[in-house]
Amino acid sequence: MKRVPPYVSDRRAIQVIDGLASGALKPLIARTFGFEQVAEAHRYLESNQQFGKIVMTP
């Protein structure tokens, strides 16, 4: 596995954060689960049905 220098990773992280803050990047959320549904969320993730992110909320 090729490693990138820390400053490259930091720069990429800053670009993502800036993109999210400006609205240029919008994450696609497949489904939201409460913390009490963690087992269901895990099954959903393992099923490969999702297209996008799975979000856990309190």
Side-chain angles (χ1 to χ4, degrees):
M1 184 164 106
K2 185 177 178 184
R3 291 185 148 284
V4 295
Y7 63 87
V8 172
S9 296
D10 292 347
R11 187 174 49 210
R12 289 180 184 159
I14 290 167
Q15 288 173 333
V16 170
I17 292 167
D18 288 346
L20 291 169
S22 72
L25 296 175
K26 296 181 183 179
L28 178 61
I29 299 173
R31 225 171 131 187
T32 302
F33 294 90
F35 285 144
E36 69 281 353
Q37 298 173 294
V38 69
E40 183 181 346
H42 193 265
R43 282 191 296 274
Y44 182 68
L45 182 63
E46 286 187 328
S47 74
N48 291 323
Q49 295 178 47
Q50 81 284 355
F51 182 83
K53 302 298 180 189
I54 294 173
V55 177
M56 301 299 300
T57 59

